[in-house]
Amino acid sequence: MVPKSVPQQAIKNCGAAFQRFFKKQGRYPQFKKKGVHDSARLDDGPGTFVFDGKRVRLPVIGWVKLREELRFSGKALSTTVRRVEDRWFVCVPVEVEMPEPVCESQAAVGIDLGVSTAATLSSGEKLAGPKALDAHLERLQRLSRWHSQKQKGSRNRRKSALRLARLHARISNVRQDWLHQTTTRLVREFAVLGIEDLNVRGMMGRAKLAGGSPTSAFVSSAASSSTKRGCTARSW
């Protein structure tokens, strides 16, 4: 049994995907595969979800414990329950009143993105990426080799797939943590960010340089970093 809002939200998402397709903004919608990006969204209708400290009440499921309380006080618009490897997360957009953002400095800076070095500022400072893939490459290769040797459909193959997925998630978390810390520091120190507009997909196609580089993620994070503090981000 699933709450009625879950299939309703799935239909809405399908409709939005077809609208993007007909506007030539995306590809033809595909069915979701079980076990890949599993998630379910609940709307803010009456009786759908309730937060009480470090727990949340979900329809049909009941009360579920949380690791931490909601960080913001306001109107919860929806709740999305998603699975990342063997962990479950509750994503809640909250409507709050935000004060007028103020940057600590009115200085401007240019950002030159690269592959070997994640970014170079116009001030001469170089921002080296975390190289998360290089640090875990040996273990990643070992787990991948073990996983390929397991019989398909067996319990051991499912266990090895979970171990491999955990490592991939760890690598992704290391990159995301560095990206958020770096972009937050930039928008606090500078009022205007000039970001180089590059063909990132072509750059990442060079196999010798693409390994472990966070450049493509840095482009999207830095370009949208203006939403963190209301500063201006431009590209050339």
Side-chain angles (χ1 to χ4, degrees), residues 5-229:
S5 58
V6 174
Q8 290 175 353
Q9 292 296 335
I11 295 175
K12 293 179 181 179
N13 295 339
C14 182
F18 272 106
Q19 289 180 0
R20 292 193 299 268
F21 170 73
F22 291 130
K23 294 179 181 179
K24 297 182 179 181
Q25 297 176 352
R27 298 181 179 180
Y28 189 83
Q30 302 291 331
F31 285 102
K32 292 184 64 175
K33 184 178 180 181
K34 183 179 179 180
V36 180
H37 304 299
D38 292 335
S39 64
R41 180 182 174 186
L42 307 174
D43 57 16
D44 59 346
T48 53
F49 61 89
V50 177
F51 286 90
D52 182 17
K54 291 186 178 181
R55 62 176 187 167
V56 58
R57 189 185 66 185
L58 302 176
V60 179
I61 300 176
W63 289 100
V64 179
K65 293 183 179 180
L66 302 175
R67 292 295 298 271
E68 62 178 346
E69 299 180 6
L70 285 179
R71 300 180 182 180
F72 305 96
S73 59
K75 180 182 177 182
L77 302 180
S78 64
T79 297
T80 301
V81 181
R82 65 188 183 97
R83 182 176 68 89
V84 179
E85 317 324 327
D86 58 339
R87 298 181 178 181
W88 292 88
F89 296 86
V90 177
C91 306
V92 186
V94 181
E95 183 178 358
V96 297
E97 294 184 1
M98 295 294 293
E100 188 68 21
V102 178
C103 292
E104 298 177 0
S105 172
Q106 298 302 317
V109 67
I111 303 176
D112 183 17
L113 302 176
V115 177
S116 58
T117 300
T120 302
L121 306 183
S122 58
S123 60
E125 180 183 358
K126 294 185 178 181
L127 304 178
K131 301 294 183 182
L133 181 60
D134 293 343
H136 299 84
L137 183 59
E138 183 177 353
R139 185 165 181 260
L140 182 63
Q141 292 175 340
R142 183 172 66 253
L143 292 180
S144 299
R145 184 169 59 252
W146 288 353
H147 179 68
S148 64
Q149 296 172 355
K150 299 295 187 295
Q151 183 178 0
K152 293 185 177 180
S154 65
R155 179 178 296 181
N156 287 334
R157 185 177 177 87
R158 290 194 295 269
K159 291 181 179 179
S160 65
L162 182 58
R163 287 195 295 265
L164 186 60
R166 286 175 180 171
L167 184 57
H168 278 292
R170 179 176 178 81
I171 295 174
S172 177
N173 291 337
V174 171
R175 290 176 175 174
Q176 291 296 327
D177 180 70
W178 179 85
L179 287 170
H180 285 295
Q181 291 190 22
T182 302
T183 53
T184 300
R185 181 177 71 88
L186 291 176
V187 297
R188 286 179 177 176
E189 294 180 359
F190 304 99
V192 179
L193 304 178
I195 305 171
E196 185 178 7
D197 189 9
L198 295 176
N199 181 13
V200 179
R201 180 175 297 180
M203 294 174 59
M204 300 303 290
R206 302 174 61 181
K208 293 183 179 180
L209 297 178
S213 175
T215 302
S216 59
F218 188 88
V219 172
S220 58
S221 297
S224 61
S225 61
S226 59
T227 60
K228 290 187 175 181
R229 282 300 184 94

